[in-house]
């Protein structure tokens, strides 16, 4: 029996209900997407408000002309805000002044396990904010060190890294040995409590301006950091790098200085020091402190 071709009239008619269901699903997906975007936007907006509040308070406590950078880590922010428990907040600022000598400090702080009730945060009351762990770093630039007595007697002061071995022993076999690498409790490389430092600048010798290199150690001692000079060399424009013993005895005290770290921002006792080209950075930790401890006005 021969089959006949299928005509248009023989095809099943489309179900109008299935098309309407597909359109409804698409509408719900669009509505859901818009809601998610609105919730994410609201979350970021709330986080930005909280960051701005903390930034303004930190600006007042650090005596800054501009707001410092504040980042509240973790998502969603709203969950942290409602509980008042923040896992990680980062605060950093440049140009922090302390007294008449240190005018351009860089401060960075990692705040962990922060307790900040939502009512206090929205009202701008940060006095009740508790910090479980504060890891801080303060960077002192060469221009600020040049204002610390008696380093202020040295013109065009610059600082660079040096090994501690070279500071002590110079161009000898001992002086060419690398310094041991300090490690933390987990056995990872870490900064130590002392570091090698090369200070260069111009001083007056017999009525003439002479470029001098001073090789020194910078050391942490309780609530202070000390620059301890070991030896001097003349600059490269001299015919010899050897500085006579009498000249060394007269000039070395100009490179010996102490800075009281209690004056620095954050209630952190420095436990490590690092020398970079043009700066010295102090690091430390503190536990169970208040947000107000970021202030530059707590020390004497």
């Amino acid at each position: 029996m021969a089959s006949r071709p299928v005509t248009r009239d023989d095809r099943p008619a489309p179900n109008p209900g299935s098309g309407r269901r597909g359109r409804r699903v698409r509408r719900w997906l669009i509505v859901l997407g818009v809601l998610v975007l609105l919730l994410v936007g609201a979350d970021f907006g709330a986080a930005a408000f909280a960051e701005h509040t903390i930034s303004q308070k930190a600006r007042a406590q650090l005596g800054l002309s501009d707001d410092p950078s504040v980042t509240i880590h973790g998502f969603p922010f709203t969950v942290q805000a409602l509980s008042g428990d923040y896992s990680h907040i980062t605060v950093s600022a440049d140009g922090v002044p302390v007294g008449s000598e240190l005018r351009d400090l860089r401060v960075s702080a990692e705040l962990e396990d922060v307790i900040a009730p939502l009512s206090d945060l929205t009202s701008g009351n940060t006095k009740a904010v508790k910090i479980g762990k504060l890891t801080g770093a303060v960077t002192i630039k060469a221009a600020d060190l040049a204002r610390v007595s008696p380093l202020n007697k040295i013109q065009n002061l610059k600082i660079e890294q040096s090994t501690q071995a070279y500071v002590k022993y110079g161009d000898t076999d001992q002086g060419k040995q690398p310094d041991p690498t300090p490690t933390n409790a987990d056995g990872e490389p870490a900064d130590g409590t002392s570091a090698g430092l090369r200070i260069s600048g111009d001083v007056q010798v017999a009525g003439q301006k002479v470029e001098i290199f001073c090789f020194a150690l910078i050391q942490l001692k309780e609530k202070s950091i000390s620059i301890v000079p070991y030896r001097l060399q003349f600059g490269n424009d001299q015919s010899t790098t050897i500085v006579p013993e009498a000249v060394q005895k007269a000039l070395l005290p100009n490179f010996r200085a102490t800075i009281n770290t209690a004056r620095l921002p954050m209630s952190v006792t420095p436990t490590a020091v690092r020398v970079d080209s043009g700066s010295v950075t102090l690091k430390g930790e503190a536990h169970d402190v208040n947000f107000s401890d970021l202030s530059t006005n707590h020390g004497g």
Side-chain angles (χ1 to χ4, degrees), residues 12-50:
N15 185 353
S18 63
R20 286 194 295 271
R21 283 195 297 271
R23 286 193 293 271
R24 282 198 297 269
V25 170
R26 285 195 295 272
R27 290 195 192 101
W28 277 113
L29 288 175
I30 292 172
V31 170
L32 183 61
V34 170
L35 285 175
V36 169
L37 290 175
L38 288 174
L39 289 173
V40 171
D43 191 81
F44 278 107
F49 171 78

Side-chain angles (χ1 to χ4, degrees), residues 125-194:
N125 177 25
T126 55
K127 293 181 179 179
V129 173
K130 305 290 185 182
I131 303 168
K133 179 183 177 183
L134 168 61
T135 304
V138 177
T139 298
I140 307 173
K141 300 176 183 177
D144 275 351
L145 286 176
R147 283 186 280 268
V148 176
S149 178
L151 298 178
N152 54 4
K153 299 176 182 178
I154 303 165
Q155 299 178 3
N156 303 318
L157 184 142
K158 299 180 180 65
I159 57 176
E160 297 290 342
Q161 291 176 323
S162 180
T163 65
Q164 297 187 54
Y166 191 76
V167 166
K168 296 177 181 178
Y169 307 113
D171 291 312
T172 64
D173 290 339
Q174 280 182 293
K176 295 174 183 178
Q177 297 298 314
D179 291 333
T181 302
T183 56
N184 58 21
D186 298 323
E188 301 170 339
D191 296 314
T193 57
S194 63

Side-chain angles (χ1 to χ4, degrees), residues 266-279:
M266 300 183 292
S267 292
V268 173
T269 299
T271 56
V273 60
R274 185 185 73 240
V275 176
D276 297 302
S277 178
S279 66

Side-chain angles (χ1 to χ4, degrees), residues 44-224:
F44 278 107
F49 171 78
E51 289 170 349
H52 179 66
T53 300
I54 296 173
S55 178
Q56 286 188 315
K57 292 298 180 181
R59 172 181 175 175
Q61 290 179 187
L62 294 174
L64 301 174
S65 56
D66 298 310
D67 291 347
S69 171
V70 175
T71 302
I72 299 177
H73 303 274
F75 180 84
F77 164 80
T78 307
V79 173
Q80 298 184 84
L82 292 175
S83 66
D85 190 353
Y86 301 83
S87 60
H88 185 194
I89 300 175
T90 298
V91 180
S92 61
D94 287 301
V96 180
V98 176
S100 60
E101 298 168 345
L102 307 179
R103 305 174 188 172
D104 191 19
L105 299 177
R106 173 169 177 76
V107 175
S108 61
E110 303 297 333
L111 318 179
E112 299 178 57
D113 301 326
V114 179
I115 304 299
L118 181 60
S119 58
D120 289 332
L121 207 56
T122 55
S123 65
N125 177 25
T126 55
K127 293 181 179 179
V129 173
K130 305 290 185 182
I131 303 168
K133 179 183 177 183
L134 168 61
T135 304
V138 177
T139 298
I140 307 173
K141 300 176 183 177
D144 275 351
L145 286 176
R147 283 186 280 268
V148 176
S149 178
L151 298 178
N152 54 4
K153 299 176 182 178
I154 303 165
Q155 299 178 3
N156 303 318
L157 184 142
K158 299 180 180 65
I159 57 176
E160 297 290 342
Q161 291 176 323
S162 180
T163 65
Q164 297 187 54
Y166 191 76
V167 166
K168 296 177 181 178
Y169 307 113
D171 291 312
T172 64
D173 290 339
Q174 280 182 293
K176 295 174 183 178
Q177 297 298 314
D179 291 333
T181 302
T183 56
N184 58 21
D186 298 323
E188 301 170 339
D191 296 314
T193 57
S194 63
L197 176 70
R198 190 194 76 180
I199 305 173
S200 64
D202 299 328
V203 297
Q204 294 291 324
V205 178
Q208 293 186 339
K209 186 169 72 172
V210 178
E211 183 184 27
I212 287 284
F213 292 119
C214 174
F215 293 88
L217 294 183
I218 184 164
Q219 301 173 325
L220 297 177
K221 294 181 179 179
E222 297 180 352
K223 293 290 186 178
S224 67

